[in-house]
Amino acid sequence: GQQVMQIPQYQHVQEGEDFTTYCNSSTTLSNIQWYKQRPGGHPVFLIQLVKSGEVKKQKRLTFQFGEAKKNSSLHITATQTTDVGTYFCAGITYNFNKFYFGSGTKLNVKP
Amino acid sequence: GAGVSQTPSNKVTEKGKYVELRCDPISGHTALYWYRQSLGQGPEFLIYFQGTGAADDSGLPNDRFFAVRPEGSVSTLKIQRTERGDSAVYLCASSLQGTRGGELFFGEGSRLTVL
């Protein structure tokens, strides 16, 4: 069945260091979305990627969608303590019925 | 309300009991999703409604789980004969109709603990 794998599971960085999380799907996706969940909170939408090879930036965050639309990455430049949380990718099937969430990467930033 | 509202926020019950969890989506959002999230895991798809009908219920783990959305707005997730393994945070999310793959707006979740 459809699976979305995400690595790494945990990442501890010093404030100012960069951070990257990777997402891989077993099948081709229509779209992929990224969400951030703060400790004790609920997932909050960050961005959606639709096109093959698409790259989008939000300030220090860079999102990429692979050419085959089966993988994606989120890169944060110069992390800040406000970046702490778990980052999830969610792959979307072509019938838009399901959003398959990865297991998440938990980011901890030491000041 | 401005966001997705879920009640109760916390529910503690005994094994074998019946539980109902309620979700009130954002007004005008016709797509509604239920997810289950266990500690340290990503949200696990349970069921998707488009309007009043369950467009996809393939994520419901077994026949103890059932969800309804009779008027295309509020939804209730029903769990019969609860088991300890049902303990998790149950998340509801809504999305605009016609927004293909549009963002999900999540509620704060209902934390279910089965003793």
Side-chain angles (χ1 to χ4, degrees):
Chain A
Q2 175 75 37
Q3 280 195 354
V4 174
M5 309 301 292
Q6 199 171 345
I7 57 170
Q9 189 175 4
Y10 300 99
Q11 187 79 53
H12 301 271
V13 299
Q14 199 73 37
E15 189 172 25
E17 292 181 337
D18 293 356
F19 160 77
T20 305
T21 174
Y22 300 91
C23 185
N24 286 288
S25 169
S26 56
T27 60
T28 304
L29 301 168
S30 171
N31 307 345
I32 196 159
Q33 296 181 350
W34 285 90
Y35 290 78
K36 177 181 178 181
Q37 186 172 24
R38 293 185 187 274
H42 58 276
V44 175
F45 175 83
L46 293 176
I47 207 159
Q48 174 168 273
L49 304 170
V50 178
K51 299 176 184 175
S52 168
E54 188 170 14
V55 178
K56 285 190 177 180
K57 293 191 175 185
Q58 287 180 350
K59 298 182 181 178
R60 295 179 294 103
L61 278 62
T62 301
F63 304 84
Q64 293 189 336
F65 202 6
E67 293 290 340
K69 300 186 75 174
K70 295 176 74 171
N71 57 68
S72 181
S73 65
L74 158 59
H75 180 82
I76 303 178
T77 304
T79 54
Q80 300 174 359
T81 55
T82 53
D83 295 326
V84 166
T86 301
Y87 292 85
F88 293 99
C89 61
I92 301 161
T93 57
Y94 275 90
N95 60 5
F96 302 100
N97 280 4
K98 295 190 182 81
F99 291 63
Y100 289 97
F101 280 79
S103 53
T105 297
K106 187 173 182 179
L107 173 64
N108 186 37
V109 180
K110 289 184 279 189
Chain B
V4 177
S5 176
Q6 289 188 248
T7 54
S9 55
N10 273 290
K11 176 70 176 179
V12 180
T13 191
E14 293 180 343
K15 181 175 178 294
K17 298 290 188 181
Y18 170 79
V19 165
E20 286 191 355
L21 306 175
R22 175 191 165 105
C23 172
D24 197 344
I26 293 172
S27 178
H29 282 195
T30 57
L32 186 147
Y33 298 79
W34 281 99
Y35 282 85
R36 177 169 69 175
Q37 188 173 27
S38 300
L39 193 63
Q41 300 296 316
E44 173 194 5
F45 171 80
L46 295 177
I47 189 169
Y48 158 63
F49 288 91
Q50 183 60 256
T52 59
D56 190 332
D57 64 357
S58 61
L60 295 177
N62 52 59
D63 61 6
R64 295 186 298 105
F65 288 74
F66 189 70
V68 295
R69 195 185 184 198
E71 297 177 357
S73 179
V74 171
S75 177
T76 305
L77 178 65
K78 308 180 181 193
I79 310 173
Q80 297 178 320
R81 304 183 303 280
T82 51
E83 299 177 357
R84 292 193 180 86
D86 299 334
S87 296
V89 175
Y90 289 81
L91 293 166
C92 176
S94 70
S95 181
L96 277 172
Q97 179 192 26
T99 304
R100 295 178 70 76
E103 69 177 280
L104 297 178
F105 294 85
F106 282 89
E108 295 290 341
S110 292
R111 181 177 297 278
L112 174 64
T113 303
V114 181
L115 302 177

